[in-house]
Amino acid sequence: MKQETLLLDSILRCALALVAVAAPLAVARAAAPFSLREIAPGVYAHQGQTSLMSRENLGDIANLGAIVGDEAVAVIDTGGSLIEGRAFLAALREKTQKPIRYVINTHAHPDHTFGNGAFVETGAVFVGHKNLPRALAARGDYYLAAFRAQMGDALDGVTIVAPTLTVDQSLTLDLGGRKLLLQAWRTAHSECDLTILDENSGVLFAGDLLFLQHVPVVDGSLLGFLDIADRLASIPARQVVAGHGPMPAPWPKALDDERAYLSRLTADLRAAIKKGESVAAAAKEAGAEERGKWRLFDDYNARNATAGFAELEWEAP
């Protein structure tokens, strides 16, 4: 009997050990193989899932990119986990062995920055909006704790990596025979939005200043977002990679649906404020006409409306 008990204990310990080893592997296998396709000569992009970040998708919900010049490479956003960042780096190394000179973050949100750690050892310079270091310092620990709760061990190894090169208004980066124009914007989707235009190909990486199919998310200023959605149209691009959604898309037509949504939301909120409605009532109805046009609408629209209401109620009558 004692021998049987010892045997059962031994089997249990082995089983637990196997589970401990297998769990991270199961997470790694949960995601589909990382795809990186060439959308223009020397311009590569990865389309994330239109979903919320989760353990199952490893945070792979944002569009990412890489641009290859004669001498070096620039990476644009790195994904929502260290696992995804490493998969991105491995896929990129299959395309080119040129040195990665820059890692550019379009803004601070975790689905675009949590993969940064995978690129630290490449020696790349991390680049972002002038407000990005402040945003990461203020929110980084909160992001890690909040997303750990929903992603578990898929978030293992993630660190907050801030830029050492920042953009105040605009900056040109040279990859050797290929120049990238980086432009910093006023508070809109967030307080630290940056766009990247590859002047050779005419491909614009818009970050989350552009959403396609995925409902736009307002984490900065509704009025700023609406203003910039109009101003972006003047960028001389031919096609665009949005922060979320199908890519590439024709430019500037890709802006149409986003502008319609932001305009409808703004108009509805102004009408609700004029009628004296509460923020809770306005959040239920504002923008509802757009519901059928967007994915994840019910996950974000009420939050957008609440933020917009707080901003618009202080407008001069």
Side-chain angles (χ1 to χ4, degrees):
M1 189 68 159
K2 185 176 180 181
Q3 287 181 336
E4 290 177 356
T5 301
L6 290 172
L7 179 59
L8 288 172
D9 286 344
S10 177
I11 292 171
L12 180 59
R13 284 195 298 271
C14 289
L16 290 173
L18 285 171
V19 169
V21 171
L25 295 177
V27 171
R29 291 173 184 147
F34 190 92
S35 62
L36 189 63
R37 64 187 180 94
E38 192 169 19
I39 60 172
V43 181
Y44 298 90
H46 168 78
Q47 184 174 326
Q49 301 174 37
T50 301
S51 178
L52 302 177
M53 284 178 65
S54 69
R55 187 177 187 274
E56 290 69 33
N57 61 35
L58 306 179
D60 181 10
I61 66 168
N63 295 343
L64 316 176
I67 301 172
V68 181
D70 293 340
E71 301 172 0
V73 181
V75 165
I76 301 169
D77 288 333
T78 59
S81 66
L82 185 61
I83 296 171
E84 186 186 5
R86 287 173 174 166
F88 182 11
L89 178 58
L92 181 57
R93 284 305 186 209
E94 291 181 359
K95 307 294 185 183
T96 179
Q97 289 296 313
K98 292 177 181 178
I100 298 171
R101 184 175 293 169
Y102 302 107
V103 172
I104 306 166
N105 287 135
T106 60
H107 61 293
H109 290 156
D111 49 325
H112 298 260
T113 61
F114 271 5
N116 280 1
F119 292 86
V120 169
E121 292 185 4
T122 67
V125 174
F126 284 77
V127 186
H129 190 288
K130 67 175 182 177
N131 293 338
L132 181 57
R134 181 180 68 197
L136 291 173
R139 295 188 177 194
D141 289 342
Y142 166 77
Y143 285 152
L144 287 170
F147 284 93
R148 170 70 70 176
Q150 65 193 65
M151 294 181 66
D153 59 6
L155 218 60
D156 285 357
V158 171
T159 55
I160 303 300
V161 181
T164 56
L165 177 60
T166 59
V167 185
D168 188 349
Q169 295 182 356
S170 64
L171 176 70
T172 298
L173 301 178
D174 192 347
L175 302 177
R178 188 160 218 153
K179 292 184 178 181
L180 310 182
L181 177 61
L182 280 57
Q183 187 165 351
W185 298 88
R186 61 170 284 196
T187 300
H189 164 69
S190 75
E191 64 176 328
C192 50
D193 297 308
L194 192 71
T195 58
I196 301 95
L197 175 65
D198 172 36
E199 296 179 343
N200 286 35
S201 66
V203 174
L204 173 68
F205 284 84
D208 281 5
L209 288 176
L210 178 64
F211 286 78
L212 296 171
Q213 296 184 359
H214 182 308
V215 70
V217 177
V218 182
D219 188 33
S221 163
L222 177 57
L223 293 178
F225 208 160
L226 187 56
D227 172 58
I228 286 174
D230 289 334
R231 292 170 56 199
L232 284 171
S234 66
I235 294 176
R238 290 190 285 276
Q239 55 184 350
V240 64
V241 175
H244 298 266
M247 49 115 222
W251 187 257
K253 183 173 175 53
L255 287 165
D256 290 351
D257 289 344
E258 178 175 273
R259 290 157 94 177
Y261 168 77
L262 295 172
S263 296
R264 179 75 272 154
L265 181 62
T266 302
D268 287 354
L269 287 170
R270 282 177 171 149
I273 291 167
K274 187 175 182 179
K275 289 189 293 185
E277 291 184 7
S278 68
V279 62
K284 288 181 181 179
E285 300 299 330
E289 183 180 303
E290 292 280 312
R291 176 177 276 105
K293 302 176 184 177
W294 299 98
R295 297 172 65 179
L296 304 180
F297 186 90
D298 291 329
D299 293 291
Y300 289 108
N301 184 68
R303 290 165 56 182
N304 292 343
T306 300
F309 189 100
E311 181 179 1
L312 293 170
E313 67 177 336
W314 297 107
E315 283 187 311

